Amino acid sequence: MRKLLRMSLRVQSGYYVATGVWPLLNRPSFEAMTGRKVDFWLVQTVGVTVAAIGAGLALSAHRDGPSDEMRATALLAAFGLGMIDVVFVARRVISPVYLLDAVAEAVFVAGLASGRAPRGARPRRPD
């Protein structure tokens, strides 16, 4: 299970770094895929934040295993970003292409959730 968790973190980190820097490096191709953006500074802000999370995940994946805090960050980021995709596509605020990202985020959540219990977690002793 530990291998699956580390592999999931590596994939998630690469995906976050790539998708985070994409709008910073090539706005025309980003908007061609996702639609025109009015407040592009906000896209850039989200991109930098997602890339930063990805960099932290990459560092964590190369260690013996992620800390509980980094695992929580990875899980909550994937869950939150996926839910934002689903909700705002349903409200027709963003392009349905964002559902592809929601699928990727769901895969990350599944990979993170299937890893072993956090370090220091012990089974409860019966009273």
Side-chain angles (χ1 to χ4, degrees), residues 5-18 50-67 70-71 73-74 112:
L5 178 59
R6 289 180 70 190
M7 182 179 68
S8 180
L9 281 176
R10 285 186 180 123
V11 172
Q12 185 178 3
S13 69
Y15 181 77
Y16 278 16
V17 170
V50 169
I53 293 169
L57 297 180
L59 291 172
S60 179
H62 289 295
R63 294 187 179 171
D64 187 32
S67 66
M70 190 53 75
R71 186 174 178 185
T73 299
L112 291 161

Side-chain angles (χ1 to χ4, degrees), residues 13-35:
S13 69
Y15 181 77
Y16 278 16
V17 170
T19 58
V21 300
W22 179 19
L24 304 173
L25 298 178
N26 196 317
R27 179 179 179 167
S29 70
F30 181 81
E31 288 186 327
M33 176 66 76
T34 63

Side-chain angles (χ1 to χ4, degrees), residues 10-103:
R10 285 186 180 123
V11 172
Q12 185 178 3
S13 69
Y15 181 77
Y16 278 16
V17 170
T19 58
V21 300
W22 179 19
L24 304 173
L25 298 178
N26 196 317
R27 179 179 179 167
S29 70
F30 181 81
E31 288 186 327
M33 176 66 76
T34 63
R36 174 108 170 84
K37 305 295 186 261
V38 176
D39 292 325
F40 203 73
W41 68 270
L42 186 55
V43 173
Q44 293 170 317
T45 301
V46 171
V48 166
T49 304
V50 169
I53 293 169
L57 297 180
L59 291 172
S60 179
H62 289 295
R63 294 187 179 171
D64 187 32
S67 66
D68 295 343
E69 296 84 359
M70 190 53 75
R71 186 174 178 185
T73 299
L75 187 63
L76 293 171
F79 181 78
L81 291 168
M83 290 306 299
I84 287 169
D85 292 334
V86 170
V87 167
F88 288 101
V89 167
R91 292 182 182 173
R92 297 181 180 191
V93 173
I94 59 176
S95 167
V97 75
Y98 281 94
L99 292 177
L100 295 173
D101 182 65
V103 170

